[in-house]
């Protein structure tokens, strides 16, 4: 597509943008496109190392500043924070909080996001797969809200960002021990099988930006810690490709870039 396009990446919490879309954000920005990052929650229920917050500083405040720093490193020109609370991990008491994103009216949340899509004249939107990658209630809600919002805004190019579970299996085979402290997910439910993915984007050229964005989320060492000390080659192997499923794509459809 000639000229500037607009990519909107919709995520659940500050730091989610790095893993599955950090590379396409940086790549799109480098190619002259506009990238808008929308985050549904404040991330206030994330785990944080003792002593990292300043006196009187809330985790939500710190994570907002961390997201802004990450967005700048990745090249996103605008960051939008939707006014919802972190729902916490699946099965925790916080899932029942009335302000939690997982309990938000999907239509109301979709209208908020659709307003951004209209304002930006979005060409492409990324969400998550229906299981939110690994069953987190906020990620699942991102899927439902994002799909509704794209319909309201008339955006046809909706891509479900997903982990390629077969790629993870290959990495484990090559390095069974994995990075120190890395937890191996249940690969029967984590992400999507390669056969269901439509879009395979090479983002190895953006790997240093992804690494820098990981470092920007200092409070989230539990998520990024196992990967921060990987060699460049190891980081490229693990995070040098990003995968998506284009909603409505015909069986067997394959592409190597988003339509930007």
């Amino acid at each position: 597509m000639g000229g500037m396009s607009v990519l909107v990446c919709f995520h659940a919490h500050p730091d989610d943008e790095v893993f599955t879309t950090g590379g396409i954000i940086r790549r799109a920005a480098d190619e002259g496109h506009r990238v808008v990052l929308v985050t549904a929650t404040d991330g206030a229920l994330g785990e944080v190392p003792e002593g990292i917050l300043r006196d009187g500083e809330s985790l939500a405040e710190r994570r907002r500043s961390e997201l802004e720093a990450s967005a700048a490193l990745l090249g996103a020109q605008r960051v939008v924070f939707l006014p919802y609370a972190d729902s916490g991990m699946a099965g925790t008491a916080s899932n029942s909080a009335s302000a939690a994103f997982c309990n938000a009216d999907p239509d109301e949340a979709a209208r908020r996001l659709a307003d951004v899509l209209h304002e930006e004249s979005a060409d492409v939107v990324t969400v998550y797969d229906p299981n939110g990658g690994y069953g987190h209630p906020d990620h699942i809600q991102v899927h439902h809200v994002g799909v509704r919002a794209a319909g309201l805004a008339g955006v046809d190019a909706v891509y479900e960002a997903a982990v390629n579970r077969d790629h993870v299996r290959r990495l484990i085979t090559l390095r069974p021990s994995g990075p120190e402290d890395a937890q191996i997910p249940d690969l029967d439910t984590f992400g999507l099988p390669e056969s269901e993915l439509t879009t395979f984007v090479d983002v190895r050229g953006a790997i240093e930006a992804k690494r820098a964005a990981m470092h920007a989320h200092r409070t989230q060492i539990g998520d990024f810690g196992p990967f921060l000390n990987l060699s460049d080659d190891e980081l490229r192997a693990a995070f040098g490709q990003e995968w998506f499923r284009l909603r409505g794509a015909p069986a067997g459809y394959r592409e190597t870039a988003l339509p930007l």
Side-chain angles (χ1 to χ4, degrees):
M1 185 182 297
M4 186 195 79
S5 297
V6 179
L7 167 65
V8 176
C9 294
F10 184 35
H11 285 282
H13 315 97
D15 86 349
D16 288 332
E17 78 285 351
V18 181
F19 280 119
T20 56
T21 62
I24 62 159
I25 291 173
R26 183 69 266 174
R27 179 169 161 174
D30 288 343
E31 293 172 359
H33 304 296
R34 178 170 173 81
V35 184
V36 177
L37 176 58
V38 182
T39 301
T41 81
D42 55 13
L45 296 181
E47 296 182 358
V48 57
E50 189 72 26
I52 198 169
L53 297 178
R54 296 183 293 272
D55 289 344
E57 181 185 34
S58 71
L59 180 56
E61 289 170 334
R62 172 62 71 87
R63 295 196 73 181
R64 183 185 185 101
S65 65
E66 288 176 345
L67 180 61
E68 290 169 341
S70 171
L73 289 163
L74 295 174
Q77 290 95 331
R78 181 186 178 192
V79 179
V80 178
F81 297 88
L82 298 187
Y84 299 104
D86 191 343
S87 303
M89 297 298 288
T92 59
S94 55
N95 295 170
S96 62
S98 60
F101 181 51
C102 68
N103 297 319
D105 179 344
D107 291 324
E108 177 191 58
R111 286 192 293 271
R112 291 180 187 273
L113 178 58
D115 286 344
V116 177
L117 302 182
H118 274 302
E119 182 180 345
E120 293 287 348
S121 299
D123 297 289
V124 178
V125 178
T126 71
V127 294
Y128 303 134
D129 64 77
N131 191 45
Y134 62 102
H136 192 297
D138 284 333
H139 288 237
I140 293 171
Q141 185 77 310
V142 160
H143 170 82
H144 294 305
V145 168
V147 170
R148 291 189 190 203
L152 291 172
V155 180
D156 295 325
V158 180
Y159 285 79
E160 298 173 355
V163 172
N164 179 341
R165 69 173 65 151
D166 295 305
H167 178 70
V168 176
R169 285 194 174 101
R170 289 191 290 268
L171 290 176
I172 292 172
T173 300
L174 291 172
R175 188 178 177 184
S177 60
E180 186 179 355
D181 298 329
Q183 295 182 344
I184 297 176
D186 179 358
L187 294 180
D188 290 330
T189 59
F190 186 57
L192 293 175
E194 194 164 274
S195 60
E196 294 185 19
L197 299 170
T198 65
T199 309
F200 301 71
V201 184
D202 185 346
V203 297
R204 287 174 294 178
I207 206 66
E208 284 308 311
K210 288 186 76 166
R211 186 195 293 275
M214 290 180 188
H215 280 281
H217 290 285
R218 291 187 61 235
T219 63
Q220 301 309 296
I221 191 69
D223 285 346
F224 293 116
F227 309 109
L228 294 180
N229 294 320
L230 291 179
S231 69
D232 288 348
D233 287 344
E234 289 172 326
L235 203 65
R236 288 189 190 96
F239 297 107
Q241 198 166 28
E242 292 174 356
W243 297 273
F244 304 85
R245 181 169 63 182
L246 172 61
R247 290 183 58 80
Y253 181 84
R254 293 290 184 272
E255 61 184 349
T256 57
L258 301 187
L260 297 169

